[in-house]
Amino acid sequence: MGLLDQEFTEGNIVIAKTEDLFNWARLSSLWQVGFGLACCAIEMMATSASHYDFDRFGVIPRPSPRQSDVIIISGTVTLKMAIRVKRLYEQMPDPKYVISMGSCSNCGGPYWEHGYHVLKGVDRVIPVDVYVPGCPPRPEALLEGLLKLQEKIRNESIVKKSA
Amino acid sequence: MKTAEEIYNLLKEKFGESVIELKTDKPVDPFIIVDPITLDKICLFLRNENDLQFDSLMNLSGVDDANGTKEKDDIGLETIKGGTLSIFYHIESTKLKHKLTLKTSTSREKPEVVTVTDVWKGADWHEREAYDMYGIIFLNHPDLRRILMPYDWEFGYPLRKDYKNPEFYQGMKVPY
């Protein structure tokens, strides 16, 4: 029952709930903020490159937070950077999503005890939708994280956010 | 090519009391301990002298010697009173292929060392880092600000042995 093969035979009309349509549109073109922090960012860039091809999920890096739907926190969030991360998040238009990538931004990672300069988890400054574990996570893990986020968006409701 | 001992003798002859000691008993390269206030003149000499030509500062690092007396205050926080902070300079002559280590020590309460930025330009950020991490003041430095920690960081110098991290920074909880 794919949409494409019926597009011309079934009178060119697709009937759907606006909720499903919006969710489908949103989850199919998650534009990310072109933003990387540390070694996880290298892995994120590898995910964007041709071998793993983030673009097939509609994920493309945007040079401005105002054009973005998702921010991937890819690396160690230092206290100095946390203020900037928060500002970037606030500059994004709603609806907006956050993927926390790697141990550092999940919980502080290896800096959890003696990292005088590290924020112990980016969820202390911005709300996180999906946590991707790993140090750094392989591109497959980040893709899995994105699929989880898509799953979450697919079940959202206009009336109330399911998050 | 000159050995540390030869260089030490040269410096001793020229600067006398300002060149304090040659240490060879440590399991590292021999190093020369010098006075923190005439340091820039010694470095300039090391750079300009024809058979020394130390044209490159490879590294500059601060050290907290933690050799003062440890005191506990009424809530059990340990602070160190007295003693010294040190700086190591690793310099190299790319022309004559020799290296040298310099050390200078300054008091923990008033840590002042003269800058070597006008001898080696690259010392600028190294000294800013030593200031950021240990609070060592480099006299005559052109731009002595914090370099790694936030500019408004007011909780001290993180690599000092008696440093205590704050509970909060700008509303963000710092400990795990």
Side-chain angles (χ1 to χ4, degrees):
Chain A
M1 295 290 278
L3 289 171
L4 284 177
D5 54 349
Q6 291 175 22
E7 196 172 5
F8 300 107
T9 53
E10 302 283 312
N12 224 357
I13 292 174
V14 176
I15 295 174
K17 288 191 281 181
T18 45
E19 207 166 73
D20 291 344
L21 184 68
F22 284 178
N23 287 348
W24 171 72
R26 263 173 207 155
L27 69 86
S28 308
S29 68
L30 283 167
W31 290 357
Q32 72 167 109
V33 186
F35 171 70
L37 282 175
C39 31
C40 280
I42 305 294
E43 222 59 16
M44 183 183 75
M45 286 181 265
T47 318
S48 291
S50 54
H51 193 90
Y52 291 96
D53 195 14
F54 230 174
D55 200 3
R56 70 194 156 153
F57 299 102
V59 180
I60 47 172
R62 298 299 298 180
S64 162
R66 300 189 195 281
Q67 301 170 349
S68 310
D69 307 291
V70 62
I71 182 168
I72 301 176
I73 310 297
S74 53
T76 316
V77 185
T78 57
L79 293 166
K80 200 174 178 179
M81 199 63 190
I83 298 159
R84 279 79 173 170
V85 167
K86 190 171 184 218
R87 184 180 300 166
L88 275 179
Y89 176 78
E90 284 165 354
Q91 284 174 341
M92 289 164 63
D94 276 317
K96 51 191 169 184
Y97 303 95
V98 178
I99 296 177
S100 165
M101 180 184 182
S103 298
C104 288
S105 72
N106 288 346
C107 63
Y111 310 100
W112 72 279
E113 192 175 10
H114 299 295
Y116 54 86
H117 61 307
V118 175
L119 185 71
K120 313 301 189 297
V122 75
D123 50 8
R124 290 187 180 183
V125 286
I126 56 177
V128 174
D129 292 281
V130 176
Y131 297 86
V132 180
C135 187
R138 280 195 55 87
E140 291 92 332
L142 182 59
L143 290 173
E144 173 78 16
L146 184 86
L147 292 178
K148 286 283 174 209
L149 180 62
Q150 290 192 331
E151 195 180 311
K152 186 173 178 174
I153 297 169
R154 191 173 284 120
N155 295 318
E156 261 177 16
S157 153
I158 293 175
V159 189
K160 73 180 210 300
K161 205 177 168 186
S162 63
Chain B
M1 279 283 279
K2 281 206 183 299
T3 63
E5 202 158 332
E6 288 167 333
I7 297 167
Y8 173 73
N9 290 334
L10 265 175
L11 291 179
K12 194 74 191 168
E13 198 182 307
K14 178 125 174 83
F15 294 97
E17 286 301 295
S18 303
V19 181
I20 298 163
E21 199 185 349
L22 173 71
K23 278 262 185 205
T24 48
D25 55 339
K26 294 278 191 309
V28 292
D29 289 341
F31 56 90
I32 299 172
I33 303 175
V34 297
D35 172 65
I37 299 303
T38 35
L39 178 83
D40 59 336
K41 292 183 189 70
I42 295 169
C43 286
L44 201 64
F45 174 75
L46 286 169
R47 191 192 70 180
N48 290 345
E49 187 67 11
N50 215 23
D51 45 358
L52 294 173
Q53 294 191 50
F54 283 102
D55 51 5
S56 163
L57 175 69
M58 294 193 292
N59 192 31
L60 183 160
S61 46
V63 176
D64 185 355
D65 300 313
N67 50 6
T69 51
K70 295 187 171 86
E71 286 175 13
K72 281 205 168 152
D73 65 5
D74 33 304
I75 49 168
L77 289 178
E78 201 173 80
T79 53
I80 300 172
K81 288 272 178 318
T84 54
L85 299 170
S86 296
I87 303 149
F88 281 83
Y89 301 81
H90 293 259
I91 56 178
E92 186 195 14
S93 170
T94 55
K95 294 194 186 77
L96 304 177
K97 308 286 179 202
H98 54 196
K99 294 173 182 174
L100 180 69
T101 310
L102 292 175
K103 179 193 178 183
T104 185
S105 293
T106 176
S107 80
R108 192 188 188 83
E109 268 62 48
K110 196 164 178 266
E112 287 181 346
V113 181
V114 76
T115 183
V116 292
T117 45
D118 25 11
V119 184
W120 300 289
K121 207 76 183 146
D124 186 340
W125 282 17
H126 284 92
E127 290 183 348
R128 278 180 65 187
E129 188 180 353
Y131 164 70
D132 197 358
M133 295 290 127
Y134 298 97
I136 299 164
I137 310 290
F138 290 88
L139 303 169
N140 304 329
H141 189 283
D143 181 30
L144 197 64
R145 302 175 279 147
R146 285 188 183 273
I147 188 168
L148 295 168
M149 300 302 285
Y151 297 130
D152 61 346
W153 190 258
E154 51 191 23
F155 310 103
Y157 304 101
L159 292 192
R160 285 203 184 185
K161 295 291 182 191
D162 56 353
Y163 171 76
K164 289 285 170 300
N165 226 17
E167 270 306 298
F168 286 91
Y169 167 68
Q170 293 219 354
M172 297 177 286
K173 193 177 164 228
V174 179
Y176 182 73

